[in-house]
Amino acid sequence: MSPINQVIINKETKNKPIWIMRQAGRYLPEFREIRKQNTDFIKLCLNPNLASEITLQPLKRFELDAAIIFSDILMLPYGLKQKIEFKKNFGPILGDINLNEISKLDEIDFVERIYPVYKAISLVRNNPITKNKSTIGFVGAPWTLLVYMINKQSPKIKLKDDFFKDDFLINRILLILEKFLKIHIKNQIDNGAEIIQIFDSWAGLLDEKHLPNYVYIPTLSLVEYVKSLNIPVICFPRGIKNYNEYCNLVKPDVICIDYEVDPLKISKNIKIPVQGGMDPKILLTEKENLKKEAKRYLDIFKDHPYIFNLGHGILPETDPNMMDYLVKTVKDY
Ligand code: CP3
């Protein structure tokens, strides 16, 4: 069993395995090199040879315990035929939603649009580099995908006042997302994903009273589905205040924490395995400081099943030497 699965399944506390969100990405010159020649981000995600090569890039440099597949949570709206492009220095821009077209779409159409993602997963899983490491598949949570689909770009800090105005549209999309997210999860697992992480990057935008409808209930349905396939599921509800309530209601196998929560409080109150937490900006400071902060997390979770990771994705301006230093610090602990 891979070290990460030992933490999740056997609740082992001796080893602190490590992987990093966005470990395959722009801070690596070898990624930027491929990206320069492939200006269409979606097409790059749909190229199994390049997507698997990019996925493995960080594993060739650093002693990481998992490969997270190079893809994007927005491949799901792409699969639902919503237009999407990634603009440089701006992020994703989505087209209008055509509810009639989305409602008509069936499983075969959807899978036909994104099957290269599954091919990339199977290439990664079958590569000897990932032996004894976990291959992680992922999806966006229904709420976060809804935000992108309706808002049509990143919401930055706050939702527009009229976000909830079309109740019919919102509830239809949530049901459609639930159906196709399950299809997407199943195909990733069938092609070699051994863990699923659910990214709810915009959970923190919601008022408490909206959490049950938009976060807890739709995410619980996915968590139950992944568990029914005998695969562990990690949830990352970025920006929420009450991790206790989230864990009690959504019941993930692992909770991934963001950098704004107090890890000490988490270690005292949360009984399930924990992942992540450290602020990605620490990697932009000095080695000594990086070591101190990494050790702070490792000390706090010394007797807890813990997977080292950051509290959000590694920043593009990070020096790969700092990443190397971080991985070594965790491995030497
Ligand atoms: O290494 C990995 O973690 C795997 C690949 C991965 C990407 N996106 C590749 C990517 C994963 C797991 C994601 C998840 C994702 N995508 C999330 C959830 C996590 C989070 O960051 O909160 C979200 C919200 C997205 C949507 C998305 N994709 C945005 C808003 C952007 C633009 C902003 C940015 O960081 O550039 C992307 C683009 C994206 N996804 C890049 C990568 C490597 C950068 C593409 C590039 O310009 O080269």
Side-chain angles (χ1 to χ4, degrees):
M1 207 191 288
S2 73
I4 291 181
N5 287 67
Q6 279 176 36
V7 169
I8 303 175
I9 294 159
N10 300 343
K11 312 282 183 287
E12 122 113 71
T13 56
K14 246 187 6 254
N15 279 319
K16 305 296 177 195
I18 174 170
W19 70 279
I20 299 294
M21 292 189 272
R22 291 278 172 99
Q23 64 188 27
R26 282 166 300 187
Y27 74 105
L28 289 178
E30 58 270 36
F31 171 76
R32 291 199 300 271
E33 194 51 45
I34 292 181
R35 186 74 170 93
K36 217 164 57 192
Q37 286 150 25
N38 296 269
T39 48
D40 185 330
F41 180 72
I42 296 280
K43 271 200 190 140
L44 184 55
C45 292
L46 293 172
N47 180 327
N49 288 324
L50 286 179
S52 59
E53 184 184 333
I54 293 169
T55 302
L56 297 173
Q57 281 176 346
L59 279 78
K60 290 179 182 160
R61 276 184 180 249
F62 317 114
E63 216 186 306
L64 296 159
D65 293 295
I68 176 144
I69 213 68
F70 177 76
S71 178
D72 200 273
I73 62 166
L74 299 178
M75 293 312 287
L76 198 111
Y78 170 84
L80 297 177
K81 291 194 170 171
Q82 188 171 11
K83 276 215 175 69
I84 165 160
E85 74 171 296
F86 284 84
K87 219 167 105 185
K88 209 173 171 188
N89 303 323
F90 183 81
I93 303 179
L94 289 83
D96 290 334
I97 293 181
N98 182 335
L99 196 53
N100 279 332
E101 194 175 57
I102 290 186
S103 306
K104 274 200 311 242
L105 199 80
D106 64 22
E107 179 167 347
I108 295 171
D109 301 329
F110 173 81
V111 171
E112 199 171 87
R113 279 176 75 74
I114 60 169
Y115 80 91
V117 173
Y118 311 131
K119 246 178 122 170
I121 294 178
S122 98
L123 288 174
V124 167
R125 175 68 191 271
N126 292 320
N127 192 299
I129 300 174
T130 60
K131 194 166 173 276
N132 204 32
K133 297 180 190 290
S134 304
T135 299
I136 303 180
F138 66 88
V139 291
W143 164 249
T144 285
L145 290 175
L146 182 76
V147 167
Y148 281 106
M149 290 175 78
I150 303 271
N151 201 57
K152 295 188 276 185
Q153 63 181 58
S154 294
K156 306 294 174 208
I157 40 170
K158 147 172 201 307
L159 286 176
K160 294 194 187 103
D161 292 336
D162 62 357
F163 184 86
F164 291 104
K165 75 169 190 280
D166 192 343
D167 221 17
F168 180 80
L169 177 72
I170 283 188
N171 284 295
R172 280 292 297 150
I173 298 279
L174 276 178
L175 284 176
I176 291 166
L177 279 172
E178 189 174 323
K179 170 180 164 188
F180 285 98
L181 280 167
K182 286 178 182 169
I183 293 169
H184 193 35
I185 287 170
K186 175 79 163 65
N187 278 292
Q188 293 188 60
I189 292 171
D190 286 348
N191 284 280
E194 300 161 286
I195 296 173
I196 296 292
Q197 175 151 327
I198 302 177
F199 286 92
D200 211 346
S201 308
W202 297 113
L205 290 180
L206 283 167
D207 296 336
E208 227 122 281
K209 68 168 196 286
H210 279 132
L211 286 173
N213 258 338
Y214 296 105
V215 170
Y216 299 156
I217 292 171
T219 313
L220 172 62
S221 172
L222 294 185
V223 164
E224 284 177 335
Y225 181 69
V226 180
K227 287 181 177 174
S228 78
L229 301 171
N230 276 318
I231 292 284
V233 54
I234 306 172
C235 286
F236 180 42
R238 184 166 73 91
I240 59 157
K241 302 280 172 300
N242 194 338
Y243 274 89
N244 253 337
E245 182 174 88
Y246 185 94
C247 289
N248 288 336
L249 297 178
V250 179
K251 301 181 173 61
D253 293 302
V254 180
I255 184 79
C256 181
I257 57 173
D258 67 78
Y259 57 87
E260 288 186 338
V261 291
D262 177 5
L264 206 59
K265 243 164 100 181
I266 294 283
S267 77
K268 283 191 183 130
N269 297 328
I270 302 267
K271 297 286 167 259
I272 63 170
V274 172
Q275 171 180 284
M278 197 180 85
D279 192 337
K281 288 192 285 297
I282 306 286
L283 282 118
L284 306 180
T285 65
E286 259 78 65
K287 279 187 177 164
E288 216 163 294
N289 190 44
L290 174 58
K291 188 177 202 163
K292 196 180 100 213
E293 264 301 290
K295 282 201 163 154
R296 188 166 75 87
Y297 277 86
L298 290 163
D299 286 341
I300 288 173
F301 291 106
K302 196 159 66 70
D303 300 317
H304 203 104
Y306 182 67
I307 302 162
F308 197 94
N309 204 319
L310 302 176
H312 200 192
I314 186 167
L315 295 162
E317 55 270 38
T318 306
D319 177 350
N321 290 320
M322 292 296 274
M323 170 78 161
D324 187 53
Y325 190 74
L326 172 63
V327 176
K328 288 188 171 133
T329 302
V330 175
K331 290 283 153 184
D332 290 346
Y333 182 71

